[in-house]
Amino acid sequence: MGTIEGAVNIPLQQIRGRLGEFRKDQTIVLFCGVGLRAYMAERILRQNGFENVFNLSGGYKTWEYAVQKQSNEDIFEKSIIGKDDQIYSTDIEAGRKEREVAHARIDVKTLEVNAAGLQCPGPILELKKAINQVAQGDRVLETASDPGFAQDVKAWCEMTGNNLINLQQEKGQITALIEKGVPAGSASGPAAQGSQGASGLPPSALNTSLIMFSQDFDRALATLVIANGAASAGKKATVFFTFWGLNLIRKNPKPRVSKDFMGRMFDMMLPAHSGKLKLSKLNMGGMGVKMMRGRMKKLRIDSLEQMLKTAMDNGVRMVACTMSMDVMGVKKEELIDGVEVGGVATYLQAADQASNTLFI
């Protein structure tokens, strides 16, 4: 069969009679054809006080294949390993180009973001903030525990023109490596293909508009999640608050304003601010909302009020319907700062420039 150069060959059945040829202060590596007889020899030596004894995994047959000349060895004939552990060619010109590529790769900076524990849309919002902090070509390494993040980050990268380099899921943790690319809608981004973008729509149509008609807590929550998601993808989002939806954007505490009789009647019947909104289902006299808010806090989901602030900070346009304000006796002074007031033409302009409109 063969043997390893420099080895001392002793048959298994002779081991016990030749123990004097072994030294206990040396490392002993035993081998046979595939490892079975070597294992038995190892047991004999250990029973006789030898401790530093090892069995060559796979035996001689595995070793023989491991040391054979490889079919691709010659392609590395003129290569060396540099101090930075990169492989370089000894050819001067080729080596110079390889070093330039390697140095360019080394210069890439990576910003690490830990979004573990945050629920949608938290991880995507954190990713948007991180991408804004790095230069084009640099990377963001984000870790999240939200199960939906694996799909969301793929969609987000496609919408924004950034590159998803790697995505891994292990033990409930999702890790994504994103390289900052050319922003969608820029002169050379995915949305700049002549006068149309990757979706076939002009850049001005890659926006989102929402109509907030309801005063239900859960529907308001859905509206703000979508609006924040659109903003994180670089879209211009407009939320048009009409009728009962106006109660989401009223100030807390409520300011004192002069109203007519019908305005005061509406005040008595409507929620004073977002903290008074009810669930559309399972409200249970207000217990449902308390349970929902408590659950959101436990899962580290932003409160409704924090989502509203985040949306406005991210540039989401908030417009209050003037006709609804007049009918319901709502004054501009009662609305939170940063909310515009506008009529149907204002909304239609935003909708005309949007690729989709959602009525909630």
Side-chain angles (χ1 to χ4, degrees):
M1 176 181 291
T3 186
I4 298 175
E5 184 179 355
V8 178
N9 300 305
I10 302 176
L12 174 62
Q13 58 270 27
Q14 298 179 16
I15 288 288
R16 287 186 175 88
R18 299 175 63 175
L19 291 176
E21 298 181 31
F22 298 93
R23 290 172 48 185
K24 292 185 177 181
D25 60 344
Q26 284 187 328
T27 298
I28 302 171
V29 180
L30 304 168
F31 70 92
C32 61
V34 295
L36 178 58
R37 287 171 295 167
Y39 169 76
M40 297 173 66
E42 178 191 355
R43 300 305 303 163
I44 292 172
L45 290 178
R46 289 189 179 277
Q47 289 169 3
N48 284 273
F50 293 87
E51 296 181 355
N52 214 11
V53 184
F54 302 91
N55 182 7
L56 180 63
S57 180
Y60 175 78
K61 287 187 177 180
T62 301
W63 179 86
E64 185 180 28
Y65 283 111
V67 298
Q68 278 184 352
K69 177 179 173 61
Q70 304 297 307
S71 60
N72 62 349
E73 279 186 14
D74 294 339
I75 66 174
F76 297 110
E77 185 179 1
K78 295 182 179 181
S79 299
I80 59 172
I81 298 178
K83 292 182 178 180
D84 56 359
D85 291 331
Q86 302 293 328
I87 299 176
Y88 299 111
S89 173
T90 54
D91 178 76
I92 297 176
E93 182 61 23
R96 182 185 65 80
K97 292 181 179 179
E98 289 175 0
R99 285 191 292 274
E100 288 178 355
V101 172
H103 290 158
R105 183 168 59 249
I106 292 171
D107 289 341
V108 171
K109 297 178 181 178
T110 301
L111 176 62
E112 295 188 13
V113 177
N114 183 7
L118 296 180
Q119 302 299 313
C120 179
I124 289 296
L125 292 175
E126 291 298 313
L127 177 56
K128 172 66 162 54
K129 294 177 185 177
I131 281 291
N132 288 342
Q133 296 176 29
V134 301
Q136 185 177 334
D138 287 344
R139 297 177 176 182
V140 173
L141 180 65
E142 179 163 354
T143 302
S145 55
D146 176 22
F149 180 66
Q151 289 299 323
D152 286 350
V153 70
K154 294 177 185 178
W156 184 85
C157 287
E158 290 181 5
M159 287 189 294
T160 58
N162 296 294
N163 305 312
L164 182 59
I165 304 300
N166 189 32
L167 181 64
Q168 294 182 344
Q169 299 186 55
E170 185 177 357
K171 296 180 179 179
Q173 295 289 314
I174 301 169
T175 303
L177 181 63
I178 302 98
E179 183 177 84
K180 185 170 184 176
V182 179
S186 66
S188 55
Q193 300 174 8
S195 61
Q196 293 186 332
S199 63
L201 295 168
S204 62
L206 297 177
N207 303 324
T208 297
S209 68
L210 302 99
I211 300 175
M212 183 60 190
F213 179 80
S214 172
Q215 65 179 14
D216 295 326
F217 177 89
D218 43 330
R219 292 189 170 102
L221 187 63
T223 300
L224 295 179
V225 168
I226 295 171
N228 275 307
S232 72
K235 294 175 177 286
K236 291 182 179 179
T238 299
V239 183
F240 191 74
F241 295 89
T242 183
F243 287 100
W244 322 117
L246 291 170
N247 296 310
L248 175 60
I249 52 174
R250 297 175 74 172
K251 288 179 179 177
N252 181 19
K254 177 182 173 182
R256 295 179 64 88
V257 292
S258 176
K259 295 187 178 185
D260 59 17
F261 175 75
M262 289 302 298
R264 293 194 297 272
M265 290 295 294
F266 270 111
D267 255 1
M268 293 173 58
M269 296 184 289
L270 294 175
H273 48 76
S274 62
K276 300 293 185 179
L277 301 186
K278 301 177 181 180
L279 287 178
S280 62
K281 305 287 184 182
L282 302 176
N283 186 58
M284 299 181 292
M287 285 298 297
V289 173
K290 291 182 179 179
M291 291 170 62
M292 180 75 80
R293 285 184 179 271
R295 183 70 172 163
M296 289 170 62
K297 184 176 181 180
K298 183 177 181 180
L299 294 175
R300 293 182 62 192
I301 299 174
D302 285 346
S303 67
L304 187 68
E305 292 72 23
Q306 182 58 47
M307 283 193 186
L308 181 60
K309 182 180 183 303
T310 300
M312 298 185 73
D313 290 344
N314 286 335
V316 174
R317 186 185 181 197
M318 306 286 183
V319 181
C321 173
T322 51
M323 186 272 286
S324 299
M325 291 173 63
D326 291 340
V327 170
M328 301 174 68
V330 177
K331 304 294 185 180
K332 188 176 187 305
E333 294 80 9
E334 295 180 82
L335 304 180
I336 61 177
D337 296 336
V339 173
E340 303 176 35
V341 293
V344 65
T346 302
Y347 163 71
L348 289 175
Q349 180 191 35
D352 188 53
Q353 296 176 350
S355 58
N356 53 68
T357 297
L358 303 176
F359 184 91
I360 301 175

